[in-house]
Amino acid sequence: MTLAGLKTVFTVAEWEFRRFYKLRDQLLSLALAMIGGFVGFAVQKFVERTSGPVRVAVIGRGQLPALTLPANSRVELQFRDAADEPALRDAVGRRDLDGLLIIDGPDRAELLVAREPVWDGDIRRALADARREWKLRESQIDPARLADALAPAPLEIEYHPAGRAAASRAEKIAAAAFVGLTCLGVFIGMASFFAGITGEKTLRVTEQVVAAISPQTWVDGKLVGLTAAAFGTLLTYAGALVLFLGILRLGMEFSIPWAALRPANVLAYLVLALLGLFFWNCVFAAIAVTINDPNSSTRSSLMFLPILFLAMGFPGMQTPDAPVMRALSILPGTSPTVMTARLVLTEVPWWELAVAIGLMILAILALRRLAGKVFATNILLTGKEQTWREIWRGLRQA
């Protein structure tokens, strides 16, 4: 490609990028995500502090050992005599009490409520703990000895110096984030190509564009511009995810050892994600241009083809070194997700990663040419859609 042709490609790419990526809208989305996260966190804390306790009367406390509720439970137990049962039932009906727990023994208990008890989990756990203690006493089993007998056998895992240690928690999170963002980016690209190309087929200006630049140049510009727009949107989602994790840390204690990330693996995740976006955008460009009316075309379902390939390898993640999984991690279409997962789960030879990236690049170059030929023979066609045989005939003559 000449320098002038390359300049034209980037001119088209810039136009497509500006068409589908608005920085102001992305910043607004990020701000709304941050505001929504803080508002949701504040509402949760407000509800926790202002909501009153759940008052539950208990009859039959002597049937089981003492009920113990979690320290942060909203449930307050009020122990009453059996003679008060009729009055307590009336109190539940008047909403003066949230519930009445009647314990008839270790194997039967009844909870009377006037509405669905969303808090019944604390009651169930307290009853289960009390029943377990009662059964142990009846069987004359020492709880400490039983707990020791049921404890799992201690197992220390030691990695051979020549082997590969397990991936860190941070690396697993990073890989999952890249896989999720790749899948999301593929669908963003699908929407962009679907809306852009099918709409352009009915515009008069399309004829002028085809007369000014070659279809291949137009396709190349679309691939660069729309992939960049999808990647920019993914950066916004990634920023929102970071903000979400930051807000989440305000309400719970957790830490992610980011220092344990291996830069080489993170770079591999990024390269696989970008190549995956380009690969599927080439497929979308070739399919979208053959569709005249997306509302009635049977080919619209082909735009969801990536779901099959991107999810194909996940059922076999328990055996990442199986021959099928190794093949899927190298083949274009499945390698962006399967190879990323294998890099986390097992030791991948460097040549397998190199072959996967090389095959992906070759597939992108081949699909780019194919998309250009399909684009050239279909961009000006409207009305009745061509059959697959007619499309194939047009490709042979292109």
Side-chain angles (χ1 to χ4, degrees):
M1 181 180 293
T2 64
L3 183 60
L6 189 62
K7 183 178 179 180
T8 304
V9 168
F10 280 103
T11 300
V12 175
E14 181 182 5
W15 186 84
E16 294 286 355
F17 178 79
R18 292 180 179 275
R19 178 186 177 191
F20 285 94
Y21 184 86
K22 308 294 184 183
L23 180 59
R24 183 178 60 184
D25 293 343
Q26 297 297 320
L27 293 177
L28 179 61
S29 299
L30 194 59
L32 290 176
M34 181 174 62
I35 294 173
F38 277 112
V39 169
F41 177 77
V43 169
Q44 177 186 358
K45 290 300 182 182
F46 178 78
V47 170
E48 290 177 355
R49 292 185 179 183
T50 58
S51 57
V54 177
R55 294 169 299 174
V56 178
V58 181
I59 294 176
R61 62 180 302 182
Q63 300 291 334
L64 284 175
L67 300 180
T68 304
L69 296 170
N72 59 347
S73 176
R74 295 174 48 231
V75 178
E76 289 185 359
L77 300 180
Q78 303 174 4
F79 297 98
R80 306 290 292 270
D81 294 331
D84 298 333
E85 180 177 343
L88 295 174
R89 287 180 174 272
D90 292 339
V92 172
R94 296 192 307 269
R95 309 299 198 273
D96 294 335
L97 281 176
D98 295 291
L100 171 61
L101 178 63
I102 303 174
I103 303 174
D104 291 332
D107 297 317
R108 187 178 186 279
E110 175 188 350
L111 179 63
L112 176 67
V113 293
R115 54 176 173 262
E116 182 179 359
V118 295
W119 38 264
D120 66 327
D122 291 346
I123 298 292
R124 293 180 185 276
R125 284 188 291 270
L127 286 172
D129 293 340
R131 181 179 183 275
R132 185 184 306 110
E133 184 178 348
W134 189 91
K135 290 291 185 180
L136 290 176
R137 290 179 184 177
E138 185 182 51
S139 303
Q140 298 182 347
I141 299 176
D142 183 15
R145 296 184 62 184
L146 178 64
D148 181 66
L150 296 179
L155 175 64
E156 295 183 3
I157 299 178
E158 180 182 358
Y159 290 91
H160 192 278
R164 172 185 180 273
S168 65
R169 180 185 177 192
E171 194 159 311
K172 293 177 181 178
I173 293 175
F178 272 102
V179 169
L181 291 174
T182 299
C183 297
L184 182 60
V186 167
F187 288 106
I188 292 173
M190 176 190 71
S192 300
F193 277 92
F194 197 94
I197 294 180
T198 56
E200 288 167 352
K201 295 185 68 174
T202 60
L203 299 177
R204 297 288 297 176
V205 72
T206 301
E207 299 177 4
Q208 301 176 21
V209 176
V210 172
I213 61 176
S214 67
Q216 185 64 63
T217 300
W218 198 358
V219 168
D220 291 342
K222 282 183 175 294
L223 290 174
V224 175
L226 295 181
T227 303
F231 188 73
T233 303
L234 291 181
L235 290 179
T236 302
Y237 286 123
L241 180 60
V242 172
L243 288 174
F244 173 76
L245 291 176
I247 295 173
L248 197 62
R249 291 193 62 180
L250 298 176
M252 61 179 63
E253 292 293 332
F254 73 95
S255 60
I256 301 175
W258 296 113
L261 282 175
R262 286 173 282 192
N265 279 11
V266 175
L267 179 61
Y269 303 156
L270 178 61
V271 171
L272 289 169
L274 286 175
L275 292 178
L277 290 179
F278 271 107
F279 176 87
W280 286 111
N281 281 349
C282 290
V283 175
F284 294 145
I287 295 176
V289 78
T290 66
I291 298 175
N292 292 336
D293 185 2
N295 296 317
S296 59
S297 176
T298 58
R299 293 176 193 159
S300 299
S301 58
L302 293 177
M303 304 298 282
F304 294 93
L305 188 64
I307 296 178
L308 173 64
F309 287 89
L310 292 174
M312 186 179 295
F314 288 102
M317 283 293 101
Q318 296 297 324
T319 54
D321 290 324
V324 174
M325 296 304 300
R326 297 182 68 178
L328 290 176
S329 67
I330 292 176
L331 293 176
T334 56
S335 58
T337 53
V338 181
M339 179 58 79
T340 299
R342 287 194 64 223
L343 287 172
V344 175
L345 297 173
T346 187
E347 186 175 6
V348 179
W350 67 268
W351 63 267
E352 289 190 11
L353 178 60
V355 170
I357 293 176
L359 288 178
M360 183 73 77
I361 293 174
L362 292 177
I364 290 172
L365 294 176
L367 284 174
R368 162 189 166 270
R369 293 292 298 173
L370 176 63
K373 290 184 177 181
V374 176
F375 200 84
T377 57
N378 286 268
I379 188 59
L380 297 179
L381 294 179
T382 58
K384 178 182 176 297
E385 288 183 350
Q386 286 189 318
T387 63
W388 291 114
R389 180 177 298 180
E390 291 170 340
I391 293 175
W392 174 247
R393 188 184 306 118
L395 289 176
R396 294 180 60 184
Q397 295 174 357

